[in-house]
Amino acid sequence: MTSDRQTTLQNLRRLLPASLIAGLVGGGLLALPAYVHTWCWSGIACYNHGLFDGIGTFQNLVLGILSLLLTGMLPVALSREGGMKRDFAVLAGGIAGFTAVMVNYLYSQATSVFGHGYAPELSDVLSAIIFPFANHALPFLALALAMAALAAIGAFVVSFFRERAAGPNEGAAASRLILCSTAAAILVVVVLPPLAAHAMLGAEMIDVNPGTALMTTAVSAERTAPGIIVITVEETPPASVLDPGKPFSVFMNGVDVSDASACAASGFSATVEPPGGLSPAKGAEAAWTGAGVSNNGTPVDVVVVARGADGSEIIVLSLRV
């Protein structure tokens, strides 16, 4: 065996463990966008689906690319061998990227089986993993190779700057700087878009769809005494979404008791405090007191309807109290 071949095999043996470890880390990073999307946008996507779904999709794409680049950088940046040839570095990055794709595939298929609410058999898990791969092997391999190529690009970048450095210590420092910068970029992509979206929503700089934004409204009702029912606003959309004249309509046993005037007009035997009824603010409360809300063995049917500025309506509470 020639010395060149021995050197090649030694390099491969040295790089393979680091590549596999980097692939495991990369598989976790590739699973991150799904959780990030839920964390960032699940609470506000309904305000403007077109805008926030588009931003979330672009965010996931950028996170996926950065995660693959970081995966490819890891085995090279963490290597103590400053004289690693660039072709071996690229190979290590590609192996790490391909491993990350496979790890992410196994994770996603396994979690899809366990997410059905029952303990699956081993055969169910194996079927979920094997059958999709067998039926779509070529497209999957093409996608995996493309993603591995992105990881190889990350390894190439680190290797390039490492070779250009004045010495081994400077090269290691440069590679770690690139690694940390990429990790910081991932953090920025995760945090900045939702922060900006929340700030713009608070400043009413984003057009909100009242019909869907009303779905974020949450209202609770409780009986604090035999003749008292208190309704509390737990969550509410931006004020611009709700009808400024009558944001909430309250019905008890089918009678409109939204405010003191409605109670008087319907002859419902109860007083409302405050007289204007339920305010469209988080934490706002209104209490109905009187014989009409007394529980004489039969609970009172309480229905609260939120009204949007565009005329839309949604029942946010239907409860027997």
Side-chain angles (χ1 to χ4, degrees):
M1 183 179 293
T2 64
S3 59
D4 288 343
R5 182 173 296 181
Q6 287 179 336
T7 302
T8 300
L9 291 176
Q10 288 175 356
N11 286 333
L12 289 176
R13 282 196 297 266
R14 185 173 63 250
L15 289 175
L16 188 58
S19 297
L20 294 178
I21 293 173
L24 291 174
V25 175
L29 289 174
L30 289 178
L32 180 66
Y35 296 99
V36 169
H37 188 85
T38 301
W39 175 72
C40 291
W41 309 111
S42 61
I44 63 174
C46 61
Y47 292 155
N48 191 319
H49 276 293
L51 176 63
F52 292 135
D53 284 349
I55 295 175
T57 300
F58 183 72
Q59 181 191 38
N60 285 352
L61 177 63
V62 174
L63 280 177
I65 293 173
L66 289 175
S67 297
L68 286 169
L69 291 174
L70 182 63
T71 300
M73 293 175 184
L74 279 172
V76 183
L78 300 180
S79 173
R80 296 181 180 274
E81 300 293 333
M84 183 192 304
K85 291 184 178 180
R86 192 178 301 173
D87 52 352
F88 285 111
V90 171
L91 178 61
I95 293 173
F98 190 83
T99 303
V101 174
M102 295 303 299
V103 169
N104 181 254
Y105 171 76
L106 294 175
Y107 170 78
S108 61
Q109 294 303 109
T111 52
S112 68
V113 175
F114 283 94
H116 291 161
Y118 62 89
E121 300 288 339
L122 178 60
S123 59
D124 296 330
V125 178
L126 293 177
S127 297
I129 293 173
I130 295 173
F131 288 154
F133 181 79
N135 293 332
H136 308 283
L138 289 179
F140 178 82
L141 288 176
L143 179 62
L145 290 174
M147 298 173 77
L150 274 175
I153 292 174
F156 174 84
V157 171
V158 173
S159 177
F160 175 81
F161 282 99
R162 200 161 186 168
E163 288 182 1
R164 298 290 179 179
N169 292 334
E170 291 78 3
S175 61
R176 284 193 291 269
L177 177 61
I178 297 172
L179 191 73
C180 293
S181 299
T182 306
I186 291 176
L187 184 61
V188 170
V189 172
V190 169
V191 174
L192 188 59
L195 286 180
H198 280 280
M200 294 175 72
L201 277 173
E204 299 185 0
M205 298 171 62
I206 295 177
D207 292 332
V208 176
N209 185 338
T212 55
L214 287 177
M215 293 188 295
T216 63
T217 307
V219 176
S220 64
E222 63 175 338
R223 183 178 294 279
T224 58
I228 302 176
I229 292 178
V230 177
I231 298 178
T232 304
V233 179
E234 305 291 348
E235 296 289 342
T236 183
S240 60
V241 170
L242 295 167
D243 184 344
K246 192 175 184 181
F248 293 107
S249 293
V250 181
F251 299 88
M252 294 187 181
N253 291 333
V255 179
D256 186 358
V257 294
S258 301
D259 50 33
S261 299
C263 285
S266 62
F268 191 79
S269 181
T271 59
V272 184
E273 182 60 38
L278 201 58
S279 300
K282 183 177 180 179
E285 292 183 348
W288 282 257
T289 306
V293 298
S294 296
N295 185 353
N296 298 318
T298 303
V300 176
D301 287 321
V302 179
V303 176
V304 179
V305 178
R307 301 182 184 278
D310 62 347
S312 56
E313 298 180 354
I314 184 173
I315 296 176
V316 294
L317 178 70
S318 181
L319 186 68
R320 293 172 65 85
V321 182

